Amino acid sequence: MGEVSLLLIIPLVTAVLCWKINVRVGEKLQVITTLFNVVVGLFIAKTVFFHAPITGWHRLIYIDALSAFNILLIVLIGFVASLYSVGYMNHEVAEKIIGDNKVRHYYLWFHLFLGTMLAVSVVNNLGFLWVGIELTTLVSALLVAFYRKGTSLEAAWKYLIMGSVGIAFALLGIIFLYLSGGDLFGESTDALNWTVLHQAAKHLNPQWTLIAFIFVLVGFGTKAGLAPMHFWLPDAHSQAPSPVSAVLSGVLLNTALYGIFRIYTITNTTLDGKAAPYLIVFGLFSIAITVPFMLVQHDLKRMLAYSSVEHMGIITLGVGIGGALGLYGAVLHMFHHSMAKSLLFFTAGNITQNYHSKRMERISGVLKTMPITGSIFLIAAFAITGTPPFNVFVSEFTIMRAGFQSGHFVATVSFLLFVVLIFSGMMYYVVRMAFGEAPTKVEKKEMNRWSTAALFIPLIAVIVFGLYVPPFFQEVIQQVTVVLQGGKL
Amino acid sequence: MEQWIALLLLISAIWLLQIRKISDSVPILAFQSLVLALTAGAMWYQTKLSHLLVAALLTLVVKAMIIPAILHYTIKKIDVHRQVERVTSKYAALLIATILSVAGFYVTSRLHLPSTKFGEPYLPVSITFVFLGAFIMIDHKKALMQGIGLITIENGLFLVAQSISYGMPMMVELGIFFDMLVTVVIIGILSFRIHSTFESLNIEKMSNLKG
């Protein structure tokens, strides 16, 4: 249990330290502590994947393969984002956009944000899961509002209100779930532990679990950016500082999906597979809704945000299609999307800082002005649209195969069609930004070494996993798949 | 007895739609939470379940005292003692609120929600609260009032949980209270920043992000 405490305490301590001590010391310290948390996360993952799930603290903590997988993503992207933040924030200070004081606040909220997401992944109790997800909204709303401009405040307000109302529905869902097991467990706190509900899934009241599942899907779905509850997402993700956008898209959305899938595994068992069509419908709708918005974008980060709506849809679709293959594809896609999307947001951050604009028509010739960032941006953009030989292609292909195998022809064919349309829409803009002549006033330079170094970690994943998925990683994903199928505890 | 308490709750929610100044909402909200504490207290008296007493006391301290204090402080700091701005007229709002209340009672009667012996009278009101809270958020144009609508929704959910299962487990309840508190603080911070940036709390000024 010591390692779980460490995992949760490190972000808290880092947050307070960065807030209190000198900025220059704090920014380096937080890189070290987040790296240390990666080690702790790996250690936990090793225990879970090779031995058994971790339980503790009067069964309030429960970490199985699915939680461990989410923890790994959070610590990894958290580390890369904190590395990237150093360069990003230094640049903002040098440009006199913000003062040192605000940088300290930034690190305070940033690490608290990472801490809340980790807390969500380790708790066993669905009530605490809800509390944790609500806390992630509250903490990250302040990060979205970081620049205090009109647009960022607008985005943060919309995010806070939509997120809180959505999540209120999820609470109603969890109350109903509590109710559906009410006759079995009485008033005990354990009645909301998902291990308990999971074991009793076959005996829950099906009528209540169905209502509970729909409320939870709509509620946490709002947080995960599933259409039609996604309206806050493009605003918040485009207005936040770029490292925060990367974390929002890369892992916060996954954490919200994690909440849905936890409850899905219970309810789908109770309902004998009747919960899956809801996921397919919401998933497909999210992919479809991205198409028109992708074609009319002017803002680079907004375009990337819409692409996140699409990918959350793809993951949801994959889980909805289900079966060993569909779930495998979905989990793999979670990992691949996190890597490729955070990479895209990091490169977009570098580009917008150098070009002083997020408007795509003002950005051109990135490959010439910023050779490293530009080429990585191009690779990441190809990856995210599912172009071989990059990682996202592998998982999208797997989901497609699962779709055809399980007989979801209409869903799979429309999925393919939408993906092709999104590919062409996105590539139209990306190619125009990457090639061509740069505007004369844009300097030919890379951003500082911190923000360039951070790019290489997700880049390795994007390229390597496109070529082959290492056997140990396949094993890891298999184990997560077993959890999602409602298998062993 | 329970019917009268439920009626008081309903009045408090409709009243929030009829205020003239934003600052008027704070005492109404405090009153609403006070009655809410009363419901939990009454249920504790009838059932002797100790966590209901804790919930009642927490509601009294957090929702009826601390949260109104934070809102009062925010409003004072922003200095918006001005008129509320609505989408509908005052009378239309009253009409819609009445329709929503009837709808709430109708929906509850049709849903066949299971309920506890002493919580049953509150069940229709709790569902109506969720409707009315949402309507407050839609009808009022001032950012802070959306926060107040949100609190009304959360109060409704609190009451739902109480009426159908005498509340959530205590630890979870504590977590939810903590969340509420943080939510209100952040609503306060953001409202303050919105006001200093836009020199207005009107959310219609915040419509630059599209597409």
Side-chain angles (χ1 to χ4, degrees), chain A residues 91 347 350-351 353-354 366-376 443-453 455-456:
Chain A
H91 182 269
T347 50
N350 283 352
I351 294 168
Q353 279 191 329
N354 198 19
V366 180
L367 278 172
K368 278 186 186 152
T369 51
M370 314 170 84
I372 302 177
T373 305
S375 35
I376 296 179
E443 269 182 84
K444 191 171 177 254
K445 63 160 188 197
E446 285 298 332
M447 302 318 284
N448 70 48
R449 57 200 151 97
W450 295 92
S451 23
T452 313
L455 302 178
F456 286 91

Side-chain angles (χ1 to χ4, degrees), chain A residues 81-281:
Chain A
S82 66
L83 187 68
Y84 179 83
S85 296
V86 178
Y88 185 89
M89 284 299 153
N90 275 334
H91 182 269
E92 299 292 88
V93 173
E95 296 264 300
K96 296 208 167 45
I97 297 169
I98 49 169
D100 274 346
N101 200 25
K102 284 209 73 183
V103 179
R104 295 216 317 269
H105 283 131
Y106 168 79
Y107 286 123
L108 167 70
W109 295 112
F110 181 76
H111 289 282
L112 283 180
F113 180 33
L114 293 181
T116 51
M117 285 191 293
L118 288 171
V120 170
S121 319
V122 302
V123 293
N124 185 0
N125 189 298
L126 291 175
F128 288 122
L129 180 95
W130 183 88
V131 171
I133 292 188
E134 170 76 0
L135 277 180
T136 59
T137 313
L138 299 174
V139 177
S140 53
L142 288 177
L143 285 167
V144 172
F146 182 71
Y147 286 119
R148 301 201 187 185
K149 287 182 307 188
T151 43
S152 48
L153 285 171
E154 179 185 340
W157 186 260
K158 214 188 248 182
Y159 174 37
L160 179 68
I161 293 297
M162 278 195 75
S164 305
V165 172
I167 219 156
F169 281 107
L171 181 60
L172 204 52
I174 289 174
I175 294 173
F176 284 140
L177 198 61
Y178 179 53
L179 190 74
S180 68
D183 307 334
L184 300 173
F185 321 112
E187 310 274 324
S188 80
T189 312
D190 285 357
L192 272 174
N193 280 5
W194 89 266
T195 44
V196 174
L197 285 166
H198 194 257
Q199 269 160 352
K202 287 244 181 282
H203 310 289
L204 299 176
N205 177 334
Q207 188 197 352
W208 293 113
T209 39
L210 179 65
I211 298 178
F213 174 67
I214 292 171
F215 271 112
V216 167
L217 182 61
V218 170
F220 287 157
T222 309
K223 201 68 210 301
L226 290 180
M229 296 88 71
H230 68 285
F231 290 103
W232 63 273
L233 192 148
D235 297 346
H237 289 219
S238 62
Q239 292 301 320
S242 291
V244 176
S245 313
V247 176
L248 284 171
S249 263
V251 282
L252 177 67
L253 299 181
N254 281 354
T255 306
L257 283 183
Y258 168 85
I260 295 177
F261 295 156
R262 270 281 184 243
I263 290 160
Y264 171 76
T265 53
I266 300 168
T267 48
N268 205 36
T269 313
T270 312
L271 298 170
D272 225 5
K274 289 199 188 66
Y278 291 93
L279 292 186
I280 294 182
V281 169

